[in-house]
Amino acid sequence: MTRQRRAPHRRAVWLVVLAVLAVTLFSVLVPLQAVSYGTPLPFAMLAGAGVSAAPLLAVAYPRTAILVFCSSAFALALAVSADRDQAWPWPWSVPATIALSVLVLVVTVVRGWRTGLVPWAVSNLASLVVLLILPDAVSVAAATANLITTASISAAALLVGVLLAGRIRVGEELTKSLELAAVEQSRRMLVEERTRIARELHDVVAHSMSVIQVQASTARYRIGELAPDAAAEFDDIAATARGSLAEMRRLLGVLRTDDHEQELVPQQGIGDIPALVESVRRAGVEVGLSLDPPPGDAPPSAQITAFRIVQEALSNAVRHAPGSAVQVELGRRDGALQIRVHNGAGTSPGSSPGAATAPSDGGHGLRGMQERVALLAGTLMTGPDPAGGWTVTAVLPWAGAGEDRT
């Protein structure tokens, strides 16, 4: 569950808890005020609703909640009967003290400690005003003890609110940092994949340009009775090819990083797929290979893309569907190179019988395949099979890919 989804869920839980608390406080406060403090029932219900609902209201409207609570609590403290039971605490009853503490806690978490300090200070100041208005309502010792107890409990709630707000803020910042790191890692992996594709395409084009340069340079020696104008034209073609190769090498130096300085070996193609399949078989995976007809004369860019698609599909099958059989099919049909890699559902312990090999690393391998296929104007389809397992199908245009050989 992401941070955007967790926040509304957490808020809903707090609202439910505060709503239950408000109903409970109202159910206790109103009868207590009416019976033990001699407050008229209608007035006790009205002011009690303000005191009880203030913590719930503070979630969305903290300032309004502070005003409602302080005015209601002040009114309840004044609306007491002279012949009430003196054993009950005054000017703060137990439910009112609980409501004040929860209000301070909620306001502090929502708006910070400065705003949370307002209801604490205003409520205790109002208590002193009540004592000045009704000096004979209770003994000084009892009133002082009541005020100290209420102020201490609400101050503790303020401290808890500060700590809880800090914990929530740190958690949110950590979650945000992790999400940003994940996004940055995803972008970095995509950039690295595109860079590798660019290098591979460079190698393919550089090979073709080298052939053009050699053919143009040796034309005057291979072709007898070549006209001087034609020989000069071939020399110009060879010079242009050499300049293009030098420029491409410069661009390759920009693309290549220190981590890829050793990637100077020839790129794999369709001819290397049997060796790739054999290496997977030696790992204990049942892999079938069909090259019908053998597309060995495919363009270099299509061969590299085909090898990478098969390589990634086999890696996904081994990782996400251990124990499944894999079938690899390549062939030239309808003027295009068609690739199909299908694996069944995993049968090893820990793999679900109907599990498909959807990548669990954010789909970077599938994105890499899509990038390669898109560069050749081909199509790629990946998804679960209705009978179980996973299928990767790619179609690479033969004519369009073959243009890089000229």
Side-chain angles (χ1 to χ4, degrees), residues 44-106:
M45 295 182 65
L46 181 61
V51 171
S52 303
L56 179 61
L57 183 63
V59 175
Y61 307 100
R63 295 179 180 177
T64 303
I66 293 173
L67 179 62
V68 170
F69 177 85
C70 292
S71 58
S72 299
F74 185 78
L76 282 178
L78 291 177
V80 293
S81 175
D83 57 348
R84 74 180 192 284
D85 189 352
Q86 296 293 325
W88 292 98
W90 184 87
W92 289 100
S93 63
V94 174
T97 302
I98 295 175
L100 171 62
S101 302
V102 177
L103 175 65
V104 171
L105 174 65
V106 173

Side-chain angles (χ1 to χ4, degrees), residues 183-402:
V183 172
E184 184 63 27
Q185 182 181 12
S186 176
R187 292 176 179 175
R188 180 178 58 82
M189 295 183 69
L190 289 178
V191 170
E192 290 178 354
E193 181 66 15
R194 291 183 179 182
T195 302
R196 185 169 68 172
I197 294 173
R199 290 195 304 268
E200 292 175 354
L201 288 179
H202 166 273
D203 295 339
V204 172
V205 178
H207 171 75
S208 301
M209 293 296 294
S210 298
V211 173
I212 293 174
Q213 189 267 334
V214 171
Q215 289 177 338
S217 299
T218 60
R220 64 170 62 246
Y221 307 107
R222 293 183 293 102
I223 303 175
E225 300 180 357
L226 187 63
D229 293 341
E233 187 71 22
F234 276 116
D235 290 340
D236 291 340
I237 294 175
T240 302
R242 284 193 296 270
S244 299
L245 282 173
E247 181 65 19
M248 293 181 66
R249 290 191 183 97
R250 186 187 68 82
L251 293 176
L252 179 61
V254 175
L255 291 174
R256 199 180 300 276
T257 61
D258 294 339
D259 296 336
H260 300 91
E261 290 181 352
Q262 303 301 322
E263 294 185 7
L264 302 177
V265 298
Q267 297 295 335
Q268 297 94 332
I270 294 178
D272 299 294
I273 291 180
L276 173 64
V277 170
E278 186 61 30
S279 65
V280 177
R281 286 173 179 168
R282 287 197 298 269
V285 181
E286 180 183 349
V287 184
L289 176 62
S290 173
L291 301 176
D292 184 27
D297 59 339
S301 56
Q303 293 212 30
I304 293 175
T305 299
F307 181 86
R308 295 300 186 192
I309 290 175
V310 174
Q311 184 183 48
E312 181 65 27
L314 289 176
S315 298
N316 285 340
V318 172
R319 288 197 306 266
H320 305 294
S324 65
V326 187
Q327 181 63 33
V328 180
E329 301 175 1
L330 289 91
R332 180 178 181 179
R333 302 179 185 87
D334 300 328
L337 175 60
Q338 297 189 7
I339 308 166
R340 182 179 182 271
V341 182
H342 172 76
N343 65 270
T347 58
S348 297
S351 61
S352 175
T357 60
S360 59
D361 57 353
H364 301 298
L366 294 183
R367 293 182 184 179
M369 285 192 278
Q370 292 170 354
E371 293 277 352
R372 295 176 183 276
V373 173
L375 287 174
L376 301 182
T379 59
L380 176 71
M381 293 183 294
T382 62
D385 191 274
W390 191 267
T391 302
V392 175
T393 304
V395 179
L396 306 180
W398 198 281

